Amino acid sequence: MPARFWISDALQRHFITGDPQSKRKLTLLAARGERVSFQVCGKWIEEGHADASVCAEVPDDLKVRVRRVGSVPVPHQNTGVPDDEVDGLEHLPGYVPDPLFDEQTAVVGPRETQTFWFTVDVPADASPGEKTITVTMALGNKKATLTAIIRVADLVIQPRTGFPVTHWFYTDALCDWYGVKPFGKKFWPICEKYMANMIEHGQDVIHTPVFTPPTDGVKRPTQLLRIKQKGDCYSFDWTDVEDWVARAQRLGFGYFEWTHLFSQWGVKNAIRIYRGQGNKENLLWPPETGATSDTYRGFLSQFLPEFESFLRTNNLMDTSFFHVSDEPHTDEDLAHYKAARGLLGELAPWMKTMDALSDIRYGREGLTDMAIPTIRVTKQYVEEGIPSWTYFCCGPRGPYLNRLVDTPLQKIRMSGWLFYRFQRLGFLHWGYNYWYRSQTRQLIDPFSVLDGHQWPNWAYGDTFLVYPGADGPIDSIRWEVFAESLQDYALLQTAGVDPEGELLAELEDFHKFPKTAKWLSKARAQVLGAE
């Protein structure tokens, strides 16, 4: 037989050189108002090539989006990951399925598998019961009919509350990739598509560059706030900040995360702030200016009262998150952090701060109002009763929760369950669209470089979640599965599941938890009353 066809859930990657499967019918459970996904695959067995295509018959009360699964090259395995925690071990190094293209056709080579990703939106007012989606896939001169049955439960899922989610948004990457000027007429249509994409995937916090973010190298200026300087006096024009906020709110963002006010990894310096908006990269002070120097103190003493006024005027005080500095590590960093936090406490006592940091001293001593520790130590914060958010990035790896290109999808899907189980107060990740060589302004090709040219320190799949399309974002499988994990959080919340109850008892820590599709299926069935 020259072609094989099958259907699967969204919790396994189908590698282009993988073996064919045999399943022709799939049943998925869904709450009303929920989004579910499945995959349809075909493998061409012959030596020549073949055209592939899919089409679907869909019930009137469902909405289906079909995308072609593309693959990206991964030159090495990520280090520090045992074999049983690697997805596609036998295919790596090699091509990994990840980007999702808005296409329903493909050309398939000899002995290759082509996969199509189906996203099904179940309206909140859909009638409960079984809905049948019939998919016809053609490969060469062969065709097959595959069936997805969506069992819609009575429960209507409600929006997630009390758990903000942020991924840092790089406006400089948009400007450089699409060749547009920051905050100009050509910038906004592109920017809003990426903003909308974040909302669609469960993110409700927007990283807002009132100043150019001082993280991960010296960036192209993307400073919303316009500044004029006359001697030691500064004046501020908030027009573009107001525009950003209005657009973000219109798209659905409920929270605003403001730029770190001190340098990264050490809290030693003032951040780079520019005259005007930085078009000529004319800094207000030298880069080596100290974090608590008279120069920076003088600026902050004028900026912070106006910032407070802006926030209060626009009713943003209770929905804003503020940072001191990202990831301080050493005892010296701790001393610098205390000094910087003290300066803000003196000049802006109204400002509550939060930062990605894992040394529990910051939480114990109240040096930050809300710590964001890595998942490696978040359980310690839980056990000591210290409120916190949580985060992961390039690490921890191994058995820990993460979202890399070789992280099993079942494991990624457990994110929302773990966040709910340990009742953390939010999640942060640094890499929504970092399309640069590490710490530089040099763009990479995201379709061929997934590590910022920094493997093994930076892991494949950590630096971005979306690929740049012609006029907007191209989703990744990782991003889709993570979004559905956040939806699981909302499902658990809607159903009133006890975080410490029997259902979630097997979730012991962020490295010790069930990691199988079978467990997820059974748990969701229990929550939806469909066991």
Side-chain angles (χ1 to χ4, degrees):
M1 182 180 293
R4 306 281 182 84
F5 302 91
W6 68 97
I7 190 170
S8 85
D9 61 28
L11 295 179
Q12 57 181 310
R13 292 182 177 91
H14 298 282
F15 291 81
I16 57 176
T17 56
D19 294 331
Q21 300 178 15
S22 58
K23 194 168 189 175
R24 294 294 187 100
K25 188 175 182 179
L26 175 72
T27 299
L28 297 173
L29 296 176
R32 292 190 285 171
E34 195 172 32
R35 175 176 293 176
V36 294
S37 301
F38 65 90
Q39 300 174 85
V40 168
C41 310
K43 185 177 183 71
W44 185 242
I45 310 298
E46 297 292 308
E47 294 182 358
H49 70 278
D51 293 329
S53 64
V54 290
C55 61
E57 296 178 16
V58 182
D60 291 340
D61 55 351
L62 299 182
K63 181 180 179 182
V64 175
R65 182 183 183 187
V66 184
R67 287 173 286 182
R68 177 179 66 84
V69 177
S71 293
V72 289
V74 177
H76 309 280
Q77 290 183 33
N78 284 319
T79 56
V81 186
D83 289 355
D84 60 353
E85 296 281 352
V86 177
D87 190 7
L89 181 65
E90 66 275 26
H91 302 288
L92 294 172
Y95 282 89
V96 174
D98 199 47
L100 299 174
F101 299 98
D102 274 305
E103 301 168 4
Q104 297 182 31
T105 62
V107 178
V108 183
R111 292 170 289 281
E112 287 183 3
T113 294
Q114 179 58 58
T115 303
F116 293 91
W117 187 278
F118 287 71
T119 302
V120 184
D121 284 305
V122 181
D125 60 357
S127 59
E130 291 191 353
K131 320 283 182 180
T132 300
I133 299 172
T134 303
V135 179
T136 299
M137 182 172 186
L139 196 52
N141 60 358
K142 301 296 180 180
K143 289 185 178 181
T145 299
L146 305 110
T147 304
I149 297 173
I150 312 299
R151 291 177 56 193
V152 180
D154 290 328
L155 184 145
V156 178
I157 196 168
Q158 300 300 309
R160 186 186 77 248
T161 60
F163 185 77
V165 173
T166 186
H167 297 82
W168 290 348
F169 182 31
Y170 297 90
T171 52
D172 55 333
L174 296 191
C175 294
D176 286 340
W177 186 271
Y178 292 99
V180 297
K181 294 181 179 180
F183 321 123
K185 289 183 179 180
K186 293 182 179 180
F187 168 83
W188 286 115
I190 293 291
C191 181
E192 288 190 354
K193 289 182 179 180
Y194 283 85
M195 285 182 167
N197 178 269
M198 289 183 252
I199 291 290
E200 290 166 3
H201 289 78
Q203 181 167 329
D204 53 359
V205 183
I206 184 67
H207 191 233
T208 301
V210 62
F211 304 124
T212 301
T215 51
D216 301 295
V218 178
K219 294 177 166 53
R220 169 182 180 158
T222 50
Q223 177 178 303
L224 283 164
L225 187 62
R226 301 178 185 184
I227 302 175
K228 292 182 179 179
Q229 180 185 26
K230 188 174 182 179
D232 294 331
C233 296
Y234 303 94
S235 60
F236 308 101
D237 182 343
W238 296 85
T239 302
D240 286 334
V241 189
E242 291 174 344
D243 192 13
W244 176 284
V245 168
R247 291 173 189 268
Q249 288 177 328
R250 187 165 59 248
L251 287 166
F253 286 101
Y255 300 94
F256 293 84
E257 179 186 10
W258 302 93
T259 310
H260 297 76
L261 292 173
F262 300 89
S263 62
Q264 188 180 32
W265 303 325
V267 210
K268 295 180 180 179
N269 301 109
I271 62 172
R272 292 170 176 261
I273 299 179
Y274 299 91
R275 290 182 177 83
Q277 289 181 295
N279 294 335
K280 297 181 179 180
E281 302 203 25
N282 191 352
L283 287 166
L284 294 176
W285 43 75
E288 63 273 14
T289 299
T292 56
S293 63
D294 290 344
T295 297
Y296 198 41
R297 170 187 284 270
F299 173 83
L300 291 175
S301 67
Q302 297 174 59
F303 164 72
L304 290 170
E306 289 216 21
F307 190 27
E308 179 186 11
S309 177
F310 169 82
L311 295 171
R312 294 194 185 282
T313 299
N314 290 278
N315 298 313
L316 297 174
M317 188 64 76
D318 294 333
T319 55
S320 286
F321 301 122
F322 309 102
H323 291 297
V324 179
S325 177
D326 185 47
E327 292 189 322
H329 296 299
T330 66
D331 287 344
E332 182 182 8
D333 294 350
L334 178 64
H336 290 151
Y337 193 96
K338 286 181 178 180
R341 184 67 187 92
L343 177 58
L344 292 180
E346 174 189 341
L347 299 178
W350 51 269
M351 182 181 284
K352 305 296 183 183
T353 63
M354 59 192 297
D355 281 304
L357 40 81
S358 295
D359 186 334
I360 201 165
R361 288 180 293 176
Y362 288 86
R364 286 174 178 163
E365 298 178 24
L367 300 178
T368 182
D369 297 289
M370 182 63 67
I372 311 177
T374 171
I375 57 171
R376 186 186 294 277
V377 298
T378 294
K379 183 72 179 296
Q380 186 179 2
Y381 279 76
V382 175
E383 291 171 344
E384 295 197 20
I386 302 172
S388 77
W389 285 30
T390 190
Y391 84 98
F392 53 71
C393 58
C394 288
R397 304 178 199 174
Y400 283 92
L401 179 71
N402 217 307
R403 195 176 53 198
L404 309 173
V405 292
D406 57 2
T407 303
L409 298 179
Q410 305 99 304
K411 191 172 172 180
I412 296 175
R413 182 66 182 265
M414 289 299 295
S415 300
W417 297 79
L418 287 159
F419 300 152
Y420 186 85
R421 166 68 179 87
F422 296 112
Q423 291 294 286
R424 294 301 84 196
L425 300 176
F427 173 78
L428 177 149
H429 191 274
W430 76 281
Y432 173 71
N433 65 321
Y434 189 82
W435 302 323
Y436 291 103
R437 179 184 286 270
S438 173
Q439 312 295 302
T440 75
R441 297 188 191 183
Q442 179 185 340
L443 284 173
I444 51 90
D445 173 12
F447 296 97
S448 62
V449 178
L450 286 85
D451 65 337
H453 290 293
Q454 267 283 55
W455 180 89
N457 295 322
W458 284 14
Y460 295 112
D462 194 56
T463 58
F464 59 84
L465 289 162
V466 293
Y467 297 81
D471 59 356
I474 294 171
D475 292 322
S476 67
I477 288 177
R478 294 166 291 124
W479 191 213
E480 294 294 289
V481 173
F482 185 79
E484 292 193 13
S485 86
L486 294 178
Q487 189 176 242
D488 288 339
Y489 186 109
L491 177 65
L492 294 167
Q493 196 172 58
T494 300
V497 172
D498 181 359
E500 298 183 359
E502 182 179 353
L503 177 65
L504 304 182
E506 291 183 70
L507 282 67
E508 298 181 33
D509 202 339
F510 285 91
H511 69 289
K512 194 174 183 181
F513 57 91
K515 302 171 185 178
T516 67
K518 183 178 180 180
W519 188 94
L520 279 159
S521 178
K522 183 178 179 180
R524 277 180 53 83
Q526 184 173 334
V527 175
L528 289 167
E531 281 190 309

